[in-house]
Amino acid sequence: MPHPDMEWMNLFGLRYTDEAVTDFLSKQPPHKADKPSDGSQYVVCEQGGFDLLFDTRHAQASSTSNRQDRRLSGIFFYNDGVDKHQRYPGPLPLGFDFADGRPGLLHKHTPERTWVIGEGRVPVDHPEPDHDRWDFAPLQVSAHYGDDGVEILYFVVSQPSGKPEWKPAETWQSLALLPDRKADAIKLYREKHNVGVAEAKRAVEQHAAQAAR
């Protein structure tokens, strides 16, 4: 059962003009609705420390989806000073708090995914992740960090996108570290450097050996 001060949990899937949304916003500090862009629209409440994201992800699987039928799919809760927002003062999912920092969050709950931009999914013990994500059925919550990988800049509570998880393109360097993909690594090295098999094989083996040290 949602926390009594987490009224926003009941707003997912509703339009900006729906009565429950307008009633919720009427009890918050002043906000502004940005101009829609690419099927998305943000409602920004800097004094309240949060933004609402309305988009069409609910209808993306339909060939007849209406790009004007935007519904709430995500809420951003900000730390003080982030994107000109004041710190969100209300309770957060899973008992999280901005003061926890990443170590405190991990102590409370183990994330189901840790992420680095450009690399994708990484081990939870990665020293400088961009964000962690936890299940918060039927939603999900993610914590996004500063450059040190510790300070919490903001939380996002969202509906699952339903899209396949992004994965980085394979490179000869990454494949060289996988014993069963050595042949693929050699092939990619040859294509990239226009060299023979022997030279590519030597480069791949050297890279794997250095990484194993």
Side-chain angles (χ1 to χ4, degrees), residues 43-134:
V43 174
V44 179
C45 185
E46 294 178 351
Q47 294 180 37
F50 69 90
D51 294 347
L52 307 181
L53 170 61
F54 296 83
D55 61 26
T56 57
R57 73 175 59 183
H58 65 282
Q60 288 177 355
S62 172
S63 59
T64 59
S65 61
N66 182 357
R67 291 181 63 81
Q68 302 305 314
D69 185 17
R70 295 177 292 272
R71 305 194 184 198
L72 183 67
S73 67
I75 306 181
F76 296 68
F77 299 105
Y78 291 93
N79 205 345
D80 189 51
V82 178
D83 287 347
K84 301 180 180 180
H85 287 73
Q86 296 182 23
R87 176 181 285 191
Y88 177 70
L92 294 162
L94 303 176
F96 288 161
D97 191 283
F98 286 104
D100 290 331
R102 185 174 189 249
L105 301 184
L106 298 187
H107 180 73
K108 289 179 176 178
H109 299 281
T110 300
E112 58 91 8
R113 190 184 82 173
T114 300
W115 194 263
V116 172
I117 296 173
E119 296 183 34
R121 185 184 288 261
V122 295
V124 69
D125 59 358
H126 191 286
E128 295 181 352
D130 289 297
H131 77 250
D132 292 304
R133 190 178 73 191
W134 295 261

Side-chain angles (χ1 to χ4, degrees), residues 6-213:
M6 290 187 184
E7 179 184 352
W8 47 263
M9 284 188 64
N10 299 317
L11 305 181
F12 282 87
L14 301 182
R15 301 176 182 87
Y16 173 48
T17 55
D18 283 345
E19 182 178 355
V21 176
T22 57
D23 180 63
F24 169 78
L25 289 171
S26 71
K27 295 178 283 188
Q28 308 302 321
H31 68 278
K32 64 177 181 177
D34 288 345
K35 183 178 179 180
S37 175
D38 295 327
S40 299
Q41 182 178 28
Y42 285 89
V43 174
V44 179
C45 185
E46 294 178 351
Q47 294 180 37
F50 69 90
D51 294 347
L52 307 181
L53 170 61
F54 296 83
D55 61 26
T56 57
R57 73 175 59 183
H58 65 282
Q60 288 177 355
S62 172
S63 59
T64 59
S65 61
N66 182 357
R67 291 181 63 81
Q68 302 305 314
D69 185 17
R70 295 177 292 272
R71 305 194 184 198
L72 183 67
S73 67
I75 306 181
F76 296 68
F77 299 105
Y78 291 93
N79 205 345
D80 189 51
V82 178
D83 287 347
K84 301 180 180 180
H85 287 73
Q86 296 182 23
R87 176 181 285 191
Y88 177 70
L92 294 162
L94 303 176
F96 288 161
D97 191 283
F98 286 104
D100 290 331
R102 185 174 189 249
L105 301 184
L106 298 187
H107 180 73
K108 289 179 176 178
H109 299 281
T110 300
E112 58 91 8
R113 190 184 82 173
T114 300
W115 194 263
V116 172
I117 296 173
E119 296 183 34
R121 185 184 288 261
V122 295
V124 69
D125 59 358
H126 191 286
E128 295 181 352
D130 289 297
H131 77 250
D132 292 304
R133 190 178 73 191
W134 295 261
D135 287 326
F136 187 53
L139 307 170
Q140 56 192 23
V141 55
S142 56
H144 299 252
Y145 307 112
D147 292 338
D148 60 0
V150 175
E151 180 188 14
I152 303 167
L153 300 182
Y154 58 93
F155 292 95
V156 181
V157 180
S158 61
Q159 294 175 321
S161 69
K163 296 180 179 179
E165 183 175 288
W166 178 87
K167 294 183 179 180
E170 293 181 328
T171 65
W172 72 264
Q173 292 96 330
S174 62
L175 294 179
L177 306 182
L178 306 174
D180 61 339
R181 301 295 303 277
K182 180 178 177 181
D184 294 324
I186 292 172
K187 179 181 178 181
L188 285 182
Y189 188 94
R190 291 188 66 196
E191 292 174 351
K192 181 176 178 63
H193 297 283
N194 193 28
V195 299
V197 174
E199 183 175 341
K201 182 174 181 291
R202 183 166 55 253
V204 167
E205 291 176 344
Q206 289 177 347
H207 179 77
Q210 290 174 354
R213 291 176 184 172

